[in-house]
Amino acid sequence: MKPVRPVLVVIAHGSRDPRHAATVHALVERVRALRPGLRVETGFLDFNIPSVQGVLESLAAEGVRDVVALPLLLTRAFHAKADIPAVLREAPARLRIRQAEVLGPSPLLLAALDRRLYEAGLTPADKSSTGVVLASAGSTDPEAIAVIAEIAREWRHTGWCAVRPAFASASLPRTEDAVRELRALGCARVAVAPYVLAPGFLPDRIARGAAEADVLADVLGPAPEVARVLLERYDAARTPMLAVVGA
């Protein structure tokens, strides 16, 4: 008998901005399309429904046993380290839950950033003369900030003229300051690539900070590369679960 695959529960932050939930749902639909037969549910930590707790209680009531909880986050900061584990500890006891790793860093996310910049009008031929601002939401977590800086360094090695990290909150520099720095370096054009998953308050702040840039890319959203990262994280988390149950 073929083992039942664990249910994938995507855990999103949630937002008062309706574009956030719409983008999360579009991403989840792309995941379902890439992996037909995999059950994927979405729960939100705040502002939107269903809540993570509500999703887990419903699954338990249905008789589901195994769940992979996947934080829809790009870095391991407070939500991944504290909020989400706290919610999962309150889940029904019958559920066996494994928390997957956050999405970043991943080469696929760099490919998604490139995709968004090309969709905004750049071409691969523009890379060597274009400076890019890698604009993230920001965090007070030193580990998360260090990861963003490392991603910027790695992305620079793929051929861009220069790449500078920037943050919409909690950390410096701001997007507008990084744009001016790249302009001062002599880059022929400056592009801003939001390293965020969905629209909302902080992505809007990034967009305002990009006023002096030549190109502003869209958020990562339901890019196919992002959906593939979700499935990679799911597969990595479910493997030890299957080993435990003898699958």
Side-chain angles (χ1 to χ4, degrees):
M1 182 176 176
K2 195 172 182 179
V4 177
R5 286 184 287 189
V7 174
L8 170 57
V9 175
V10 176
I11 301 178
H13 183 274
S15 171
R16 293 186 179 89
D17 189 323
R19 298 173 298 167
H20 176 90
T23 302
V24 170
H25 290 310
L27 175 58
V28 168
E29 284 302 317
R30 189 176 286 274
V31 171
R32 292 187 179 117
L34 287 175
R35 186 73 60 89
L38 172 62
R39 182 171 179 182
V40 187
E41 302 291 341
T42 307
F44 295 90
L45 291 173
D46 208 351
F47 302 117
N48 302 105
I49 55 173
S51 67
V52 177
Q53 188 68 21
V55 169
L56 296 175
E57 289 174 357
S58 294
L59 291 174
E62 289 179 31
V64 170
R65 185 70 187 276
D66 294 312
V67 170
V68 170
L70 195 158
L72 198 60
L73 300 168
L74 294 172
T75 59
R76 259 183 59 78
F78 181 78
H79 293 304
K81 294 177 179 178
D83 282 355
I84 291 175
V87 170
L88 297 181
R89 283 194 294 270
E90 298 299 317
R94 67 161 287 115
L95 292 177
R96 289 187 299 219
I97 303 175
R98 188 170 182 88
Q99 182 176 329
E101 291 296 328
V102 297
L103 304 186
S106 166
L108 285 170
L109 294 178
L110 292 183
L113 288 164
D114 282 341
R115 171 189 291 274
R116 292 303 188 224
L117 286 170
Y118 298 153
E119 290 171 348
L122 294 177
T123 70
D126 296 322
K127 293 184 80 167
S128 63
S129 58
T130 302
V132 182
V133 178
L134 179 69
S136 74
S139 174
T140 57
D141 188 305
E143 178 187 349
I145 298 304
V147 166
I148 297 299
E150 179 57 32
I151 291 170
R153 284 191 291 270
E154 181 179 346
W155 200 20
R156 161 69 181 83
H157 293 314
T158 66
W160 295 103
C161 173
V163 180
R164 294 291 185 270
F167 308 94
S169 68
S171 309
L172 295 174
R174 294 287 183 256
T175 301
E176 52 269 34
D177 298 324
V179 168
R180 292 175 189 131
E181 180 186 351
L182 289 171
R183 193 77 75 192
L185 280 175
C187 297
R189 67 187 63 79
V190 176
V192 173
Y195 190 61
V196 293
L197 287 166
F201 176 75
L202 292 179
D204 284 349
R205 180 179 287 177
I206 290 171
R208 290 193 298 272
E212 296 179 19
D214 302 294
V215 174
L216 171 63
D218 200 358
V219 298
L220 294 172
E225 296 86 356
V226 179
R228 287 167 57 197
V229 176
L230 264 70
L231 290 172
E232 283 187 355
R233 298 295 184 255
Y234 169 79
D235 290 337
R238 73 187 282 260
T239 299
M241 295 179 75
L242 295 179
V244 167
V245 299

